[in-house]
Amino acid sequence: MNKPIRTVGVFCMLLFVALLAQSTNLQFFRSGELNDRPENRRVQEARFSAERGSILAGDTEIALSVPVDDRYLYQRQYPVAAPYAHMTGWFYFGGASGLERSQNRVLSGDDPSLFVNQLSDLLANRNPAGSNVGLTIDPDVQQVAYDQLAAQGDEVQGAVVALEPSTGRILASVSLPTFDPNQLALRDVNQVQENYQALYDDEANPLTNRAVATTLPPGSTFKLVTAAAYLEDHPDVDANTQVPGGSSYQLPGTRTSIANGGRSCGETTVSLSQAMEQSCNTTFLQLAVEEGQEGMTEVADAFGFNADPAEDYPGTAASAYPENASDDLLAKSGIGQQDVRATPLQMAMVAATIANDGVLMEPYLIDRVTSPDGETITRHEPEERAEVVSSRTAGILQELMVNTVEQGTARQARIDGVEVGGKTGTAENCDGCRPYAWFVSYGERDGQQVAVAVMLQNVSPNVSISGGGLGGPIAKAVMEQALGVGE
């Protein structure tokens, strides 16, 4: 073979190798990226025309595809829109949000875990259908939480989260104000954009999921974390032990004093139980300083602060406990003020850990994936995240919370025949702002448990703000439904 022909042959072979390499790169390594590009209209039309799987709460379909008589064949619908909008998100021509986005590969049938189903559809010459995503949400508990929160008024901003302490299952997650995802899943793209912009511009921020994405100072509900740190460090202390109290406390290095709002907290000391029942600021300010930065941070982190709270719940924000705080700010952290920030989900995790004898279970929202014909493909198994405190400490905290319901500031959550523990809180996050209310609790009946956190960020100016008065009845109703009281 002469040299020119050999050169042309080598050149052609190099071109073939380059073509093969680029094809492999596009087909196997960049296919996902290219498919997800908004400008890839062919892929967008194919996805929009496919029958997606349903999202279910119990047996209730809260997002599903229904056949329609047009070029796209299916329309995404949300039959129970308002209570679930922040979880489901919405699916539209240009993309998706919420679970519709995070679970898109499963719902569209593209996930690698569905290979057997994909192969079966291919061999049977069937159009591929998406798989279903089943949530841990109890639809009855979710509805009660939504109704109770909505009953606070048209302008209310708030959230309710309920957890099953022994597993970490999220039984309810409600955020108000809410929106209708059906109005964001229309065929008319321009109308969708107009509807979205109106929601985005709304000062009440209806698109924000306050249950998992809004972090605010948790106020006196954080005293449970401070008490946990103190009890872990003092194995000789119980509910009746005298701890620092008094009518007011001057913050270290300042001339600022904080009092107790007229509540009875002893002249210089008070029992730990009374300090929790009366929500004594002077006690927990001093306990935080005594425990120090390291002791407080260690326990706060163990409860879940400064970490991702739930991996399968889209849009969650990490709660925060401050580092390197000065002594005066460290003291204020002990009563859940200053730079402490928590979501309702985080505070439900605190109550659930205490109810579960000190063990924090990994919170999770997705229970199972099922095929279009109902066969279970994957199911989530509960996982232990951490042993936050000893069972002894958890037992004392349970006693303190029960006493707070029986004879303290959380009486509104009392349920006959049910062990109920609770803690109230109020806080502010700006000068001149109206305070907001917190309530965390757990209930136990016949071996069944539930933990609930309620946050009310904006209520009528004519209503007195208190964690017990506003949040207590909501938590009570949610616990009664979850525990089957009255059935």
Side-chain angles (χ1 to χ4, degrees):
M1 184 181 297
N2 61 36
K3 185 175 180 180
I5 294 176
R6 188 166 59 247
T7 301
V8 171
V10 171
F11 180 70
C12 290
M13 186 174 67
L14 289 174
L15 286 177
F16 179 76
V17 170
L19 178 63
L20 189 64
Q22 179 65 355
S23 298
T24 303
N25 180 41
L26 293 175
Q27 293 291 331
F28 292 95
F29 298 111
R30 297 186 58 201
S31 59
E33 170 201 339
L34 295 172
N35 284 339
D36 291 338
R37 284 188 175 181
E39 65 270 25
N40 194 337
R41 190 171 180 85
R42 182 183 60 81
V43 173
Q44 295 291 349
E45 289 188 355
R47 284 180 176 173
F48 200 64
S49 304
E51 182 180 9
R52 292 168 67 82
S54 298
I55 302 175
L56 301 104
D59 295 327
T60 303
E61 289 182 300
I62 58 175
L64 72 161
S65 292
V66 297
V68 293
D69 187 20
D70 67 17
R71 59 182 292 202
Y72 293 121
L73 304 179
Y74 292 96
Q75 169 68 47
R76 201 64 170 162
Q77 291 187 354
Y78 305 89
V80 198
Y84 295 95
H86 293 98
M87 282 183 281
T88 61
W90 62 95
F91 177 74
Y92 66 109
F93 185 83
S97 69
L99 288 167
E100 292 277 27
R101 178 171 182 165
S102 69
Q103 299 301 306
N104 182 57
R105 288 189 176 277
V106 171
L107 293 168
S108 63
D110 293 336
D111 194 81
S113 66
L114 309 175
F115 174 75
V116 174
N117 296 77
Q118 295 163 358
L119 182 61
S120 175
D121 288 337
L122 180 65
L123 295 175
N125 196 29
R126 293 193 299 258
N127 290 326
S131 293
N132 305 312
V133 175
L135 306 184
T136 57
I137 298 294
D138 183 320
D140 294 328
V141 178
Q142 178 80 1
Q143 191 63 51
V144 168
Y146 175 80
D147 291 343
Q148 288 288 319
L149 199 56
Q152 304 305 309
D154 294 338
E155 303 297 325
V156 69
Q157 298 173 15
V160 179
V161 174
L163 294 177
E164 187 175 68
S166 63
T167 62
R169 293 169 61 91
I170 299 175
L171 302 176
S173 176
V174 170
S175 176
L176 286 180
T178 184
F179 59 96
D180 184 357
N182 292 295
Q183 298 304 311
L184 300 174
L186 301 173
R187 291 285 202 269
D188 187 335
V189 176
N190 293 329
Q191 186 63 56
V192 167
Q193 182 60 36
E194 183 179 328
N195 294 343
Y196 176 82
Q197 194 63 45
L199 291 167
Y200 184 83
D201 293 339
D202 191 330
E203 293 182 353
N205 298 319
L207 293 173
T208 298
N209 187 349
R210 289 173 166 80
V212 300
T214 295
T215 61
L216 293 168
S220 293
T221 58
F222 192 79
K223 290 171 182 173
L224 294 169
V225 178
T226 305
Y230 184 73
L231 287 166
E232 283 289 275
D233 205 28
H234 295 79
D236 56 332
V237 168
D238 60 27
N240 298 315
T241 300
Q242 292 291 306
V243 294
S247 59
S248 67
Y249 174 70
Q250 184 173 333
L251 298 175
T254 76
R255 295 182 178 179
T256 302
S257 292
I258 294 179
N260 297 308
R263 297 182 294 274
S264 176
C265 298
E267 292 187 5
T268 57
T269 64
V270 63
S271 74
L272 182 58
S273 182
Q274 184 176 340
M276 189 67 75
E277 293 164 25
Q278 297 300 312
S279 199
C280 295
N281 293 329
T282 51
T283 296
F284 295 96
L285 290 163
Q286 296 177 76
L287 295 188
V289 173
E290 183 174 335
E291 286 310 301
Q293 179 77 63
E294 183 177 353
M296 289 295 295
T297 300
E298 180 180 354
V299 173
D301 284 356
F303 271 110
F305 284 78
N306 302 318
D308 188 358
E311 293 182 358
D312 66 356
Y313 196 146
T316 55
S319 299
Y321 182 79
E323 297 180 352
N324 303 317
S326 57
D327 283 349
D328 58 322
L329 299 185
L330 180 63
K332 293 178 74 174
S333 77
I335 58 172
Q337 299 284 1
Q338 204 66 33
D339 295 328
V340 182
R341 293 285 189 278
T343 63
L345 172 60
Q346 174 61 68
M347 295 315 298
M349 291 164 61
V350 171
T353 302
I354 293 170
N356 196 37
D357 295 330
V359 176
L360 173 60
M361 301 300 291
E362 193 75 47
Y364 66 101
L365 179 62
I366 298 174
D367 179 58
R368 65 195 183 281
V369 172
T370 59
S371 66
D373 57 7
E375 181 185 353
T376 299
I377 298 172
T378 61
R379 181 179 289 278
H380 185 99
E381 295 297 330
E383 301 175 29
E384 181 180 318
R385 178 185 283 195
E387 183 177 337
V388 179
V389 295
S390 67
S391 58
R392 172 191 170 277
T393 291
I396 296 173
L397 291 170
Q398 291 168 12
E399 182 181 353
L400 298 179
M401 292 179 72
V402 170
N403 290 346
T404 303
V405 170
E406 292 296 323
Q407 54 207 25
T409 58
R411 292 186 181 91
Q412 294 86 348
R414 185 174 181 180
I415 304 172
D416 290 341
V418 178
E419 178 184 312
V420 177
K423 183 71 191 81
T424 60
T426 57
E428 303 170 355
N429 64 345
C430 68
D431 293 335
C433 293
R434 278 175 57 76
Y436 44 87
W438 284 90
F439 193 91
V440 301
S441 63
Y442 77 89
E444 179 170 353
R445 178 179 185 243
D446 298 332
Q448 187 179 2
Q449 293 181 324
V450 63
V452 179
V454 179
M455 185 275 290
L456 289 158
Q457 192 178 357
N458 185 46
V459 295
S460 169
N462 301 321
V463 174
S464 176
I465 306 295
S466 75
L470 293 173
I474 298 174
K476 176 182 178 180
V478 173
M479 288 189 289
E480 287 177 331
Q481 180 62 49
L483 299 174
V485 175
E487 293 181 352

